[in-house]
Amino acid sequence: MENQEVVRFEKRAFDALRPLRFQTNVNKYAEGSCLVETGDTRVLCTATLEERVPLWVRGTGKGWITAEYGMLPRSTNERMEREAKKGQSGRTHEIQRLIGRSYRSAVDLKKMGEVCIKLDCDVIQADGGTRTASVSGGFVALYEAFKTMMKKGIISSIPVTDTVCAVSCGIIRGVPMLDLDYEEDSSAWVDSNFVMTGSGRLVEIQGTAERNPFSAEEFLQLLSLARKGCAEITRAQKEVLKIG
Amino acid sequence: MENQEVVRFEKRAFDALRPLRFQTNVNKYAEGSCLVETGDTRVLCTATLEERVPLWVRGTGKGWITAEYGMLPRSTNERMEREAKKGQSGRTHEIQRLIGRSYRSAVDLKKMGEVCIKLDCDVIQADGGTRTASVSGGFVALYEAFKTMMKKGIISSIPVTDTVCAVSCGIIRGVPMLDLDYEEDSSAWVDSNFVMTGSGRLVEIQGTAERNPFSAEEFLQLLSLARKGCAEITRAQKEVLKIG
Amino acid sequence: MENQEVVRFEKRAFDALRPLRFQTNVNKYAEGSCLVETGDTRVLCTATLEERVPLWVRGTGKGWITAEYGMLPRSTNERMEREAKKGQSGRTHEIQRLIGRSYRSAVDLKKMGEVCIKLDCDVIQADGGTRTASVSGGFVALYEAFKTMMKKGIISSIPVTDTVCAVSCGIIRGVPMLDLDYEEDSSAWVDSNFVMTGSGRLVEIQGTAERNPFSAEEFLQLLSLARKGCAEITRAQKEVLKIG
Amino acid sequence: MENQEVVRFEKRAFDALRPLRFQTNVNKYAEGSCLVETGDTRVLCTATLEERVPLWVRGTGKGWITAEYGMLPRSTNERMEREAKKGQSGRTHEIQRLIGRSYRSAVDLKKMGEVCIKLDCDVIQADGGTRTASVSGGFVALYEAFKTMMKKGIISSIPVTDTVCAVSCGIIRGVPMLDLDYEEDSSAWVDSNFVMTGSGRLVEIQGTAERNPFSAEEFLQLLSLARKGCAEITRAQKEVLKIG
Amino acid sequence: MENQEVVRFEKRAFDALRPLRFQTNVNKYAEGSCLVETGDTRVLCTATLEERVPLWVRGTGKGWITAEYGMLPRSTNERMEREAKKGQSGRTHEIQRLIGRSYRSAVDLKKMGEVCIKLDCDVIQADGGTRTASVSGGFVALYEAFKTMMKKGIISSIPVTDTVCAVSCGIIRGVPMLDLDYEEDSSAWVDSNFVMTGSGRLVEIQGTAERNPFSAEEFLQLLSLARKGCAEITRAQKEVLKIG
Amino acid sequence: MENQEVVRFEKRAFDALRPLRFQTNVNKYAEGSCLVETGDTRVLCTATLEERVPLWVRGTGKGWITAEYGMLPRSTNERMEREAKKGQSGRTHEIQRLIGRSYRSAVDLKKMGEVCIKLDCDVIQADGGTRTASVSGGFVALYEAFKTMMKKGIISSIPVTDTVCAVSCGIIRGVPMLDLDYEEDSSAWVDSNFVMTGSGRLVEIQGTAERNPFSAEEFLQLLSLARKGCAEITRAQKEVLKIG
């Protein structure tokens, strides 16, 4: 199968992100909050500080970070049944485990003290890339929560060793592309998600052959696109967070 | 117990609504959508057209309108457990039944054809009055969905006989008040919700003694406040919907 | 639509209750019990004293009253699926919340001590008005439980400030009527439930337009019927409870 | 361990049933109904005719009989949690399977036609022997339902080949006894339930060593008590059913 | 109905067991384990020692034994739905209650100390008799767990007063038979399960008329077959456990 | 952190698999079956042919492959609660989705016809790598099922374009290692799973930083170990399947 002519929506370049925006302080109650928009995908992320920690860190002096993910029923083109009525799907479980894992290697759990921060990532509108947008926006909300904890004197410095963001890449009719929208995602041969730190190290890699198995070379091309995308997302995060 | 000095937040008058705003076209997929804001309460309402109708109208040629309600976990001051994890609470069931009922007496179900419109009212931020805001915002989303159906030629006129809105009233330390915020609601002696039509008729009345049983006279005072509030909400609805 | 000729079952007057009977001591284990019959509707109410109180009153020295409601599968004309198999419906949640709320404003929670009384209202046979019969019969069971607590020396006086009962009213083909049976309820234009105290004050008001929105005048007619009905129910409650 | 002096409540003989009463037509909707009382145990049994049959008899021309069992929360000394809230327990599953099985070998499923009869056995008050009372009372309700079907011309004769009843027996401190009440049941060394036909044949046998394994001889003594008890229950069933 | 010519699979005699094998130490983690095979039926039994005991023995110094039962989805001819997806069936509840009860009358609960042993009986392949195989194999796993507890010095002697095993019997076209396989079980007129001790006393008896009620004489024939079968199973258990 | 001295159990080389064995025909009912053992990890895989396909392939002429995963309660060192009692965990959902996805890109779904093959992977004993063992053993069971379908004339050739297997790799105290056992997995800094085809192409990649984010170079080392491991697993699969 040769590579075919592929034109993206609004003539976006193959290695370009969709328009990206982070907005903080979008919720009056949460310790940290961020509305992330990437193209038509919109995810509201809130970070809640809880004193109750899971059993496995109780008494260790360490903290914990966990995440929950949901989609509003009409965030999608076809209305989905509400998970409050049918229970959480396997996909939801998979995604919220991914989000929670993403931050734990970039945060000094000891320095955050024996507390738990719970991230809620709720998809207001979905046009592809909701899990990676959740990771990126969730990090901003998490960082904002740490700022709140500092202001309240709960911690004395931000216990973050690096920033964290995520992006999706895929191969569509032979062409590697960055940051897929829903239509692209549906026709991808290979679909992948990368979670990276601001300094360019890897936190999580997921690659799936949706149609044909892929080669290591192809995978390295996706990794290279992801690096470029994550560098841009990192810049946007740092800007909204007003850090280095 | 005599009436005590009560001062509302930002010196709001006892018979004044909080700042109110309806925004339409806030979701790119839904047949109709509306973000309603009243003070710090924000509810996203979407209306979805479904061809599948419930059993009890199947084959009757009539349509149906139903509603679902949810709150984002951190829409409240204390984070609530996600209903996708614990199932819908009794309160949620009660509210979504109320919302669905509210529209059915102001819509000509025969004229809308044998289809179902499902309203999703999701609370983004909660500061009192989420169920009445859902009814008011949901009506706007419903009306927008009817406009979409007209554009698509599914119906030939808007099958609505009157507009519908709702407001809460309560008695706080002896003083009847309109449109309670969360703090007021928590300390109310009597709590009530009124669903009314644009022409001032009643669709639903709910009054509850939270502390002391109340007299018929007190209840009539609340009804009178509700009439005033609903007249204003009706004006705002008609403005955003661009109807007479 | 003009009022049409409406004749009630057994030529009952429009403002007449169905035959009403309260029987106490119908369960050998419960602290209080009452079988209430109104027409063909029969509800068995038991009151259970529990030492464990809900979180929100723990340590306050105050008590709590709560209720659960159920219907036997063949209490209705068409057999209902057993809720033990499918979970409690929205309607059940709505009703048991109403019952629990009804008593809390007529009981001195401080005087009852830090205990919980749980009312179980189980419908043996349903012919309309099961929720209002539950409220009226439940009050008798509750009062009986307080008597038991006095006998056991747990409390020194009955911590009740007023009696509580409930009745339904509706408008059928234009005619306001008291205490609807199932068939009447099914064809009502407006359906309402009133919870009142023995002294005639209001505890809970619920009115719903089943077909057409209604006017305040119509609602006042229903309120007036409810007052008459509740006065009679109060007399019957006081007789069986042997109080003033 | 020798047999000790055992005296039963109200000096009941070891081979005597508790006072037994069957009442029919206790529900205005059900095709058949029976309230069975044995001592302080009271079970309400209703039989519902359903056109929908389970998959395994569909298209065979045969009917089916099934049962559901429940206990009101305060039917017991200590209030039980409502199964509508926590789901059906293992004990409930076990009992309702037993009840359903009991009738299928004494009914000509072919002659009843391709319909289903569902028995609901709901325990109003429990003082031991609720499952056997359910079997005995359920049979009366079932027979009444067959009478209703005959009156409606659905069947031309009662498709029953024999009557069915049940009784419990046990060994208490070495003494075999008939029809245990709750207190006896709690201290029994061996606990058994027998389902028998009016002609004395066996439908179901269950025997359990609650403390010590038992001998075949002991089991035969229990069987002999059960025969005596079932003969008496059969007489009472036939009397209320007005059959030979 | 006269007895018809019945020939069993591989010409097995009517009073013969299928080939039987117990294997211990089949799991590297469990305190005790046993794979039991009877014909093509294979059940893996593990015994787990838990320090946490149920509420009703807490503080009594006594131990407890409980059991859980499951079937792999394709252990049966037609694949069953996984119970992890649909919840445990009534049949599963019934069986695991039976297994747990079986051991409690042959173990000195006081001597085992205040601990709990949980037996997991998981059916790898099912060809009839899975519940009785579970009881027999579970006893071996239980005994092995007691050996482990002795080695660890938790108990000073094996707290077992007798061995326990189980077998099924049935009547097929008039002929009483021992140890039914799946095909035989499906066509049995009477189906029974016996749990017995090594010394020949009874722990549990269950007999069910699948088609016609049966006589006491027929039941005694089944009991007699069960005695013979259990004697053989006991021998095999003692051999693998290397006891008396 | 420098690389420390790490010695594996039984002095296994860092790039060596644990002893590996595939056994087919281990279940008498399933269309295909395989018991896979890798070290002390044992997974029973069965493949069931079902005529009912999921909605999204209905009418397309294409087939579907799906998987379910479970663990016996005592397959692990500490007994896990049975998922039939508590529902499937997020981890289970994640794993069974992975297994199902793995085969779909190496099977010609069109050639298999409009049927569904369901793989059940049940972990008998768990010592690390259960998900990758499930993928490898599941492929063997799947292939065996295709053989059965050929024998029965349902398909005319095996619709497989390549073999599929999986292996885990990780970095432990700085050292990349192949095929982690449970203890190694628990202390890994980076944990990864690779699903590959027999021809060495990639189907699924998953890498997670358990402690520190990792570099692309480190990830390539893991990929290289995985290639070596998968080549050996492929050989073992082909041998047991008797294919080229």
Side-chain angles (χ1 to χ4, degrees), chain A residues 209-228:
Chain A
E210 297 288 349
R211 235 172 62 187
N212 299 318
F214 51 95
S215 65
E217 292 65 39
E218 285 171 314
F219 190 68
L220 291 179
Q221 286 178 297
L222 297 177
L223 174 54
S224 162
L225 281 174
R227 275 175 190 279
K228 177 174 182 299

PDB file of all heavy atoms in Angstrom, chain A residues 209-228:
ATOM      1  N   ALA A 209      -1.563  -1.224  16.599  1.00  0.00           N
ATOM      2  CA  ALA A 209      -1.848  -1.412  15.180  1.00  0.00           C
ATOM      3  C   ALA A 209      -3.344  -1.551  15.018  1.00  0.00           C
ATOM      4  O   ALA A 209      -3.925  -2.537  15.478  1.00  0.00           O
ATOM      5  CB  ALA A 209      -1.161  -2.674  14.681  1.00  0.00           C
ATOM      6  N   GLU A 210      -3.994  -0.576  14.438  1.00  0.00           N
ATOM      7  CA  GLU A 210      -5.437  -0.694  14.266  1.00  0.00           C
ATOM      8  C   GLU A 210      -5.748  -1.564  13.051  1.00  0.00           C
ATOM      9  O   GLU A 210      -6.789  -2.178  12.980  1.00  0.00           O
ATOM     10  CB  GLU A 210      -6.087   0.692  14.118  1.00  0.00           C
ATOM     11  CG  GLU A 210      -5.935   1.593  15.324  1.00  0.00           C
ATOM     12  CD  GLU A 210      -6.785   1.155  16.512  1.00  0.00           C
ATOM     13  OE1 GLU A 210      -7.654   0.281  16.344  1.00  0.00           O
ATOM     14  OE2 GLU A 210      -6.562   1.680  17.620  1.00  0.00           O
ATOM     15  N   ARG A 211      -4.833  -1.590  12.072  1.00  0.00           N
ATOM     16  CA  ARG A 211      -5.087  -2.402  10.879  1.00  0.00           C
ATOM     17  C   ARG A 211      -3.925  -3.322  10.559  1.00  0.00           C
ATOM     18  O   ARG A 211      -4.093  -4.523  10.554  1.00  0.00           O
ATOM     19  CB  ARG A 211      -5.415  -1.517   9.681  1.00  0.00           C
ATOM     20  CG  ARG A 211      -6.744  -1.935   9.072  1.00  0.00           C
ATOM     21  CD  ARG A 211      -7.238  -1.012   8.029  1.00  0.00           C
ATOM     22  NE  ARG A 211      -6.356  -0.920   6.877  1.00  0.00           N
ATOM     23  CZ  ARG A 211      -6.535  -0.045   5.881  1.00  0.00           C
ATOM     24  NH1 ARG A 211      -7.545   0.801   5.932  1.00  0.00           N
ATOM     25  NH2 ARG A 211      -5.716  -0.004   4.868  1.00  0.00           N
ATOM     26  N   ASN A 212      -2.743  -2.757  10.317  1.00  0.00           N
ATOM     27  CA  ASN A 212      -1.589  -3.592   9.988  1.00  0.00           C
ATOM     28  C   ASN A 212      -0.513  -3.423  11.039  1.00  0.00           C
ATOM     29  O   ASN A 212      -0.269  -2.314  11.494  1.00  0.00           O
ATOM     30  CB  ASN A 212      -0.997  -3.162   8.642  1.00  0.00           C
ATOM     31  CG  ASN A 212      -1.999  -3.316   7.533  1.00  0.00           C
ATOM     32  OD1 ASN A 212      -2.721  -4.300   7.462  1.00  0.00           O
ATOM     33  ND2 ASN A 212      -2.078  -2.302   6.670  1.00  0.00           N
ATOM     34  N   PRO A 213       0.169  -4.507  11.390  1.00  0.00           N
ATOM     35  CA  PRO A 213       1.322  -4.389  12.280  1.00  0.00           C
ATOM     36  C   PRO A 213       2.314  -3.398  11.676  1.00  0.00           C
ATOM     37  O   PRO A 213       2.353  -3.218  10.458  1.00  0.00           O
ATOM     38  CB  PRO A 213       1.882  -5.801  12.315  1.00  0.00           C
ATOM     39  CG  PRO A 213       0.704  -6.680  12.028  1.00  0.00           C
ATOM     40  CD  PRO A 213      -0.123  -5.918  11.053  1.00  0.00           C
ATOM     41  N   PHE A 214       3.089  -2.760  12.525  1.00  0.00           N
ATOM     42  CA  PHE A 214       3.965  -1.696  12.032  1.00  0.00           C
ATOM     43  C   PHE A 214       5.418  -2.038  12.363  1.00  0.00           C
ATOM     44  O   PHE A 214       5.702  -2.925  13.169  1.00  0.00           O
ATOM     45  CB  PHE A 214       3.565  -0.351  12.641  1.00  0.00           C
ATOM     46  CG  PHE A 214       3.421  -0.349  14.138  1.00  0.00           C
ATOM     47  CD1 PHE A 214       4.471   0.034  14.955  1.00  0.00           C
ATOM     48  CD2 PHE A 214       2.212  -0.735  14.740  1.00  0.00           C
ATOM     49  CE1 PHE A 214       4.325   0.047  16.330  1.00  0.00           C
ATOM     50  CE2 PHE A 214       2.073  -0.731  16.119  1.00  0.00           C
ATOM     51  CZ  PHE A 214       3.131  -0.342  16.921  1.00  0.00           C
ATOM     52  N   SER A 215       6.319  -1.300  11.707  1.00  0.00           N
ATOM     53  CA  SER A 215       7.740  -1.574  11.906  1.00  0.00           C
ATOM     54  C   SER A 215       8.290  -0.655  12.996  1.00  0.00           C
ATOM     55  O   SER A 215       7.683   0.364  13.332  1.00  0.00           O
ATOM     56  CB  SER A 215       8.499  -1.312  10.613  1.00  0.00           C
ATOM     57  OG  SER A 215       8.417   0.071  10.312  1.00  0.00           O
ATOM     58  N   ALA A 216       9.463  -0.992  13.498  1.00  0.00           N
ATOM     59  CA  ALA A 216      10.130  -0.151  14.494  1.00  0.00           C
ATOM     60  C   ALA A 216      10.423   1.222  13.902  1.00  0.00           C
ATOM     61  O   ALA A 216      10.332   2.244  14.584  1.00  0.00           O
ATOM     62  CB  ALA A 216      11.410  -0.831  14.969  1.00  0.00           C
ATOM     63  N   GLU A 217      10.748   1.256  12.619  1.00  0.00           N
ATOM     64  CA  GLU A 217      11.067   2.537  11.952  1.00  0.00           C
ATOM     65  C   GLU A 217       9.844   3.455  11.978  1.00  0.00           C
ATOM     66  O   GLU A 217       9.932   4.643  12.271  1.00  0.00           O
ATOM     67  CB  GLU A 217      11.493   2.296  10.494  1.00  0.00           C
ATOM     68  CG  GLU A 217      12.825   1.581  10.370  1.00  0.00           C
ATOM     69  CD  GLU A 217      12.780   0.153  10.933  1.00  0.00           C
ATOM     70  OE1 GLU A 217      11.744  -0.545  10.742  1.00  0.00           O
ATOM     71  OE2 GLU A 217      13.742  -0.254  11.616  1.00  0.00           O
ATOM     72  N   GLU A 218       8.714   2.882  11.634  1.00  0.00           N
ATOM     73  CA  GLU A 218       7.496   3.688  11.654  1.00  0.00           C
ATOM     74  C   GLU A 218       7.235   4.226  13.066  1.00  0.00           C
ATOM     75  O   GLU A 218       6.842   5.377  13.254  1.00  0.00           O
ATOM     76  CB  GLU A 218       6.292   2.853  11.192  1.00  0.00           C
ATOM     77  CG  GLU A 218       6.290   2.640   9.692  1.00  0.00           C
ATOM     78  CD  GLU A 218       5.236   1.638   9.233  1.00  0.00           C
ATOM     79  OE1 GLU A 218       5.112   0.556   9.862  1.00  0.00           O
ATOM     80  OE2 GLU A 218       4.538   1.931   8.242  1.00  0.00           O
ATOM     81  N   PHE A 219       7.478   3.374  14.039  1.00  0.00           N
ATOM     82  CA  PHE A 219       7.223   3.815  15.400  1.00  0.00           C
ATOM     83  C   PHE A 219       8.153   4.968  15.783  1.00  0.00           C
ATOM     84  O   PHE A 219       7.744   5.904  16.463  1.00  0.00           O
ATOM     85  CB  PHE A 219       7.382   2.636  16.363  1.00  0.00           C
ATOM     86  CG  PHE A 219       6.895   2.982  17.721  1.00  0.00           C
ATOM     87  CD1 PHE A 219       5.543   3.203  17.947  1.00  0.00           C
ATOM     88  CD2 PHE A 219       7.785   3.143  18.769  1.00  0.00           C
ATOM     89  CE1 PHE A 219       5.085   3.564  19.206  1.00  0.00           C
ATOM     90  CE2 PHE A 219       7.330   3.500  20.024  1.00  0.00           C
ATOM     91  CZ  PHE A 219       5.986   3.708  20.234  1.00  0.00           C
ATOM     92  N   LEU A 220       9.380   4.916  15.326  1.00  0.00           N
ATOM     93  CA  LEU A 220      10.324   5.986  15.652  1.00  0.00           C
ATOM     94  C   LEU A 220       9.907   7.301  15.009  1.00  0.00           C
ATOM     95  O   LEU A 220      10.110   8.379  15.588  1.00  0.00           O
ATOM     96  CB  LEU A 220      11.743   5.597  15.233  1.00  0.00           C
ATOM     97  CG  LEU A 220      12.324   4.454  16.077  1.00  0.00           C
ATOM     98  CD1 LEU A 220      13.720   4.095  15.618  1.00  0.00           C
ATOM     99  CD2 LEU A 220      12.347   4.844  17.559  1.00  0.00           C
ATOM    100  N   GLN A 221       9.283   7.225  13.838  1.00  0.00           N
ATOM    101  CA  GLN A 221       8.757   8.447  13.218  1.00  0.00           C
ATOM    102  C   GLN A 221       7.664   9.081  14.083  1.00  0.00           C
ATOM    103  O   GLN A 221       7.602  10.288  14.251  1.00  0.00           O
ATOM    104  CB  GLN A 221       8.182   8.144  11.833  1.00  0.00           C
ATOM    105  CG  GLN A 221       9.247   7.886  10.775  1.00  0.00           C
ATOM    106  CD  GLN A 221       8.614   7.538   9.446  1.00  0.00           C
ATOM    107  OE1 GLN A 221       7.925   6.516   9.359  1.00  0.00           O
ATOM    108  NE2 GLN A 221       8.824   8.367   8.441  1.00  0.00           N
ATOM    109  N   LEU A 222       6.814   8.218  14.636  1.00  0.00           N
ATOM    110  CA  LEU A 222       5.754   8.733  15.511  1.00  0.00           C
ATOM    111  C   LEU A 222       6.363   9.364  16.761  1.00  0.00           C
ATOM    112  O   LEU A 222       5.942  10.434  17.211  1.00  0.00           O
ATOM    113  CB  LEU A 222       4.783   7.603  15.898  1.00  0.00           C
ATOM    114  CG  LEU A 222       4.013   6.982  14.724  1.00  0.00           C
ATOM    115  CD1 LEU A 222       3.151   5.825  15.213  1.00  0.00           C
ATOM    116  CD2 LEU A 222       3.136   8.030  14.033  1.00  0.00           C
ATOM    117  N   LEU A 223       7.363   8.693  17.314  1.00  0.00           N
ATOM    118  CA  LEU A 223       8.024   9.209  18.507  1.00  0.00           C
ATOM    119  C   LEU A 223       8.606  10.589  18.227  1.00  0.00           C
ATOM    120  O   LEU A 223       8.509  11.514  19.057  1.00  0.00           O
ATOM    121  CB  LEU A 223       9.118   8.220  18.927  1.00  0.00           C
ATOM    122  CG  LEU A 223      10.033   8.616  20.083  1.00  0.00           C
ATOM    123  CD1 LEU A 223       9.251   8.985  21.326  1.00  0.00           C
ATOM    124  CD2 LEU A 223      10.995   7.464  20.406  1.00  0.00           C
ATOM    125  N   SER A 224       9.168  10.747  17.038  1.00  0.00           N
ATOM    126  CA  SER A 224       9.779  12.018  16.686  1.00  0.00           C
ATOM    127  C   SER A 224       8.721  13.125  16.563  1.00  0.00           C
ATOM    128  O   SER A 224       8.910  14.248  17.044  1.00  0.00           O
ATOM    129  CB  SER A 224      10.557  11.799  15.397  1.00  0.00           C
ATOM    130  OG  SER A 224      10.842  13.004  14.777  1.00  0.00           O
ATOM    131  N   LEU A 225       7.571  12.804  15.958  1.00  0.00           N
ATOM    132  CA  LEU A 225       6.471  13.774  15.903  1.00  0.00           C
ATOM    133  C   LEU A 225       6.016  14.139  17.312  1.00  0.00           C
ATOM    134  O   LEU A 225       5.735  15.303  17.618  1.00  0.00           O
ATOM    135  CB  LEU A 225       5.275  13.187  15.149  1.00  0.00           C
ATOM    136  CG  LEU A 225       5.320  13.175  13.626  1.00  0.00           C
ATOM    137  CD1 LEU A 225       4.115  12.421  13.081  1.00  0.00           C
ATOM    138  CD2 LEU A 225       5.344  14.609  13.088  1.00  0.00           C
ATOM    139  N   ALA A 226       5.919  13.143  18.172  1.00  0.00           N
ATOM    140  CA  ALA A 226       5.436  13.372  19.526  1.00  0.00           C
ATOM    141  C   ALA A 226       6.363  14.324  20.278  1.00  0.00           C
ATOM    142  O   ALA A 226       5.920  15.208  21.012  1.00  0.00           O
ATOM    143  CB  ALA A 226       5.324  12.045  20.276  1.00  0.00           C
ATOM    144  N   ARG A 227       7.670  14.138  20.100  1.00  0.00           N
ATOM    145  CA  ARG A 227       8.635  15.044  20.743  1.00  0.00           C
ATOM    146  C   ARG A 227       8.378  16.484  20.338  1.00  0.00           C
ATOM    147  O   ARG A 227       8.386  17.393  21.166  1.00  0.00           O
ATOM    148  CB  ARG A 227      10.056  14.700  20.281  1.00  0.00           C
ATOM    149  CG  ARG A 227      10.735  13.620  21.040  1.00  0.00           C
ATOM    150  CD  ARG A 227      12.080  13.364  20.318  1.00  0.00           C
ATOM    151  NE  ARG A 227      12.733  12.168  20.813  1.00  0.00           N
ATOM    152  CZ  ARG A 227      13.464  12.126  21.927  1.00  0.00           C
ATOM    153  NH1 ARG A 227      13.591  13.212  22.666  1.00  0.00           N
ATOM    154  NH2 ARG A 227      14.032  11.002  22.295  1.00  0.00           N
ATOM    155  N   LYS A 228       8.178  16.687  19.030  1.00  0.00           N
ATOM    156  CA  LYS A 228       7.933  18.041  18.537  1.00  0.00           C
ATOM    157  C   LYS A 228       6.646  18.599  19.165  1.00  0.00           C
ATOM    158  O   LYS A 228       6.615  19.708  19.686  1.00  0.00           O
ATOM    159  CB  LYS A 228       7.812  18.005  17.012  1.00  0.00           C
ATOM    160  CG  LYS A 228       7.471  19.360  16.408  1.00  0.00           C
ATOM    161  CD  LYS A 228       7.510  19.336  14.898  1.00  0.00           C
ATOM    162  CE  LYS A 228       7.217  20.721  14.307  1.00  0.00           C
ATOM    163  NZ  LYS A 228       5.908  21.253  14.645  1.00  0.00           N
TER     164      LYS A 228
END
